[in-house]
């Protein structure tokens, strides 16, 4: 089936337009670029009516790196508007549809990239992750979604949601492809993050957020019977508040002019999130930044006892699009609850296919100490 015909059923791409690199370590691999990442001469809509005809003059740094390394870009993948959402139902191109069931959501905001990878339309999806936007659709679509440590990849040329949280990420079907991409695209001076742990036996911790996904962690214990529970009370008590204050404040700052002049052009759920950022006081933003430091210290201290932390990626499998539309905020709570805490501390975190519930995939998340991405990738490889 042609890509265009497949796309008419699943809505993974907003724009098809090929960009071909030369010879290099990524030759033979095809990429889809989330449509908040700028591409020279190719429109970058961010899934929004506001930027429907926006054509950048320059490409983002990550696009240049892919082409220089020999990768072929096939086009721009669907995204929740401005990457401000977890369901991928609010997009100028319409909802991205789950590869297991077209009536269900893909998850988001990098939903189109996950769908395209799952359907083998591309080999690699490039997305962004501010609160789980790579890992959530990976979980719901049954693929791998990796969020590196904060700052490993430049976000130059990426339309921001929250500049102190935004991280580029990658979606693939197998670990080997992910590793190949990381080795080719990571700046040389930052590749040390992939050095493996010197330990012969990794110490594994488990972090259970709630009772919804206890069955997933029961399965984890079959692989790692010596795994120990990890206690992160400050992260659980304050982390979600702190991340959301930071994200919505920074998002509102970027969108301020448009919110004032083009409010009616936003999808309602995105508009409401961004407008809520306008009501956050400076003192609350600063307190969230202070809390972030306290939570990061608690998180790093946990790695005196463990090398990685395993936890469920999402509480729920993909719900139906008809149930979500108009209720994006409610479903967003369930979808980002587990993933967003690892953005707050800038940690490497990967979702891998691990469990099915009612015939639908749900992911397991492997997270680690900031800038020890290689340990996370090694454990994920063992579990795949």
């Amino acid at each position: 089936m042609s890509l265009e015909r497949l796309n008419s059923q699943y809505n993974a791409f907003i724009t098809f337009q090929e960009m071909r690199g030369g010879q290099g370590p990524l030759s033979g691999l095809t990429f889809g670029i989330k449509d908040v990442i700028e591409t020279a001469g190719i429109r970058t809509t961010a899934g929004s009516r506001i930027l429907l005809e926006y054509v950048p003059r320059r490409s983002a740094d990550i696009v240049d790196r892919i082409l220089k390394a020999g990768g072929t870009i096939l086009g721009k993948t669907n995204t929740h508007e401005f990457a401000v959402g977890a369901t991928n139902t609010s997009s100028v191109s319409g909802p991205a549809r789950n590869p297991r069931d077209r009536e269900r959501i893909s998850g988001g905001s990098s939903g189109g990239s996950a769908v395209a990878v799952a359907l083998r339309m591309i080999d690699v999806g490039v997305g962004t992750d501010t609160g789980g936007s790579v890992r959530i659709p990976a979980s719901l679509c049954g693929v791998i979604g990796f969020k590196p440590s904060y700052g490993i990849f430049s976000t130059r040329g990426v339309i921001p949601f929250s500049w102190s949280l935004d991280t580029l990420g990658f979606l693939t079907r197998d670990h080997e492809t992910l590793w190949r991409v990381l080795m080719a695209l990571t700046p040389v001076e930052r590749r040390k993050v992939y050095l493996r742990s010197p330990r012969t036996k990794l110490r594994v911790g488990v972090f259970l957020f709630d009772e919804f996904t206890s069955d997933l962690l029961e399965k984890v214990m079959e692989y790692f019977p010596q795994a120990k529970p990890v206690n992160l009370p400050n992260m659980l008590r304050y982390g979600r508040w702190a991340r959301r204050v930071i994200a919505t404040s920074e998002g509102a700052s970027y969108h301020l002019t448009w919110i004032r002049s083009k409010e009616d052009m936003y999808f309602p759920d995105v508009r409401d999130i961004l407008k809520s950022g306008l009501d956050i006081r400076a003192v609350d933003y600063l307190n969230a930044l202070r809390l972030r430091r306290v939570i990061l210290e608690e998180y790093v201290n946990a790695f005196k006892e463990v090398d990685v932390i395993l936890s469920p990626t999402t509480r729920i499998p993909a719900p139906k699009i008809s149930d979500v539309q108009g209720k994006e905020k409610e479903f967003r709570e369930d979808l980002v609850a587990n993933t967003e805490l690892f953005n707050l501390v800038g940690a490497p975190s990967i979702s891998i296919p691990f469990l099915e519930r009612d015939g639908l995939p749900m992911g397991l998340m492997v997270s680690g100490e900031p800038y020890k991405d290689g340990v996370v990738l090694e454990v994920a490889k063992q579990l795949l």
Side-chain angles (χ1 to χ4, degrees):
M1 186 182 295
S2 70
L3 290 182
E4 288 79 6
R5 185 175 177 187
L6 196 57
N7 196 57
S8 69
Q9 298 178 26
Y10 290 94
N11 219 18
F13 280 82
I14 292 178
T15 302
F16 281 113
Q17 192 163 337
E18 186 174 297
M19 303 175 76
R20 187 176 292 274
Q23 291 297 310
L26 298 182
S27 293
L29 288 183
T30 55
F31 290 75
I33 307 296
K34 183 178 181 178
D35 208 24
V36 295
I37 301 171
E38 295 182 338
T39 40
I42 301 174
R43 68 174 185 154
T44 300
T45 72
S48 178
R49 290 180 283 266
I50 293 171
L51 294 182
L52 191 58
E53 302 302 329
Y54 172 53
V55 179
R57 295 181 179 179
R58 295 179 59 191
S59 289
D61 180 76
I62 191 65
V63 171
D64 289 339
R65 285 185 171 276
I66 290 168
L67 296 175
K68 186 177 180 180
T72 297
I73 293 170
L74 298 186
K76 310 299 293 291
T77 51
N78 203 345
T79 175
H80 203 103
E81 185 179 35
F82 286 112
V84 184
T87 58
N88 217 134
T89 51
S90 297
S91 167
V92 72
S93 187
R97 296 180 176 272
N98 195 287
R100 292 286 187 94
D101 180 349
R102 286 186 293 165
E103 300 307 311
R104 296 181 181 273
I105 69 167
S106 63
S109 59
S110 307
S113 293
V115 174
V117 168
L119 293 175
R120 299 183 175 271
M121 300 172 77
I122 53 174
D123 299 308
V124 183
V126 182
T128 60
D129 193 311
T130 307
S133 289
V134 164
R135 291 161 290 154
I136 292 166
S139 175
L140 271 53
C141 294
V143 297
I144 298 168
F146 178 52
K147 182 197 84 68
S149 293
Y150 177 81
I152 298 301
F153 290 95
S154 168
T155 54
R156 184 195 65 78
V158 178
I159 296 170
F161 176 8
S162 170
W163 52 82
S164 71
L165 295 168
D166 292 346
T167 308
L168 284 164
F170 304 94
L171 298 109
T172 62
R173 291 183 297 276
D174 60 84
H175 188 279
E176 291 74 18
T177 300
L178 175 61
W179 185 256
R180 180 180 168 187
V181 168
L182 294 172
M183 289 299 97
L185 298 182
T186 305
V188 173
E189 67 274 13
R190 297 174 186 166
R191 289 181 190 166
K192 61 184 179 182
V193 300
Y194 303 123
L195 294 176
R196 303 273 203 298
S197 168
R199 298 179 186 278
T200 56
K201 188 174 182 180
L202 288 167
R203 303 167 302 167
V204 175
V206 294
F207 187 36
L208 185 61
F209 293 90
D210 48 52
E211 73 280 7
F212 296 110
T213 45
S214 57
D215 55 338
L216 187 145
L217 291 186
E218 286 176 9
K219 186 178 178 184
V220 167
M221 299 302 287
E222 297 175 12
Y223 287 80
F224 298 106
Q226 303 304 315
K228 59 178 68 176
V230 173
N231 187 30
L232 297 168
N234 287 324
M235 178 180 267
L236 275 178
R237 186 173 181 180
Y238 303 113
R240 294 185 180 106
W241 178 84
R243 193 207 68 89
R244 294 178 192 191
V245 165
I246 293 167
T248 53
S249 297
E250 294 178 357
S253 174
Y254 178 81
H255 285 268
L256 181 59
T257 301
W258 287 335
I259 290 174
R260 288 175 172 171
S261 62
K262 301 180 179 181
E263 177 182 331
D264 60 340
M265 294 184 73
Y266 287 93
F267 283 88
D269 63 302
V270 175
R271 177 199 63 214
D272 291 349
I273 290 171
L274 294 174
K275 286 187 71 175
S276 72
L278 299 177
D279 297 327
I280 293 172
R281 302 176 302 169
V283 66
D284 291 327
Y285 178 73
L286 293 173
N287 282 336
L289 294 178
R290 293 188 182 102
L291 269 173
R292 183 186 204 173
R293 294 178 63 183
V294 171
I295 292 166
L296 175 59
E297 182 177 358
E298 175 186 74
Y299 183 76
V300 170
N301 283 338
F303 289 90
K304 294 176 181 178
E305 302 294 329
V306 300
D307 297 303
V308 292
I309 294 173
L310 306 184
S311 55
T313 309
T314 53
R315 292 176 174 177
I316 57 173
K320 290 186 176 181
I321 293 171
S322 58
D323 292 336
V324 170
Q325 288 181 317
K327 299 179 180 178
E328 281 84 1
K329 182 178 179 180
E330 297 172 28
F331 283 94
R332 181 176 180 270
E333 294 296 316
D334 272 338
L335 291 170
V336 306
N338 295 359
T339 54
E340 66 180 333
L341 299 177
F342 299 100
N343 292 84
L344 185 67
V345 294
S349 187
I350 187 170
S351 178
I352 60 173
F354 198 71
L355 184 73
E356 293 208 351
R357 183 177 293 172
D358 301 325
L360 297 168
M362 291 180 66
L364 173 71
M365 195 158 50
V366 185
S367 305
E369 191 173 356
Y371 308 108
K372 292 190 178 178
D373 298 44
V375 183
V376 168
L377 291 165
E378 180 63 27
V379 173
K381 183 180 179 180
Q382 293 179 27
L383 288 163
L384 282 167

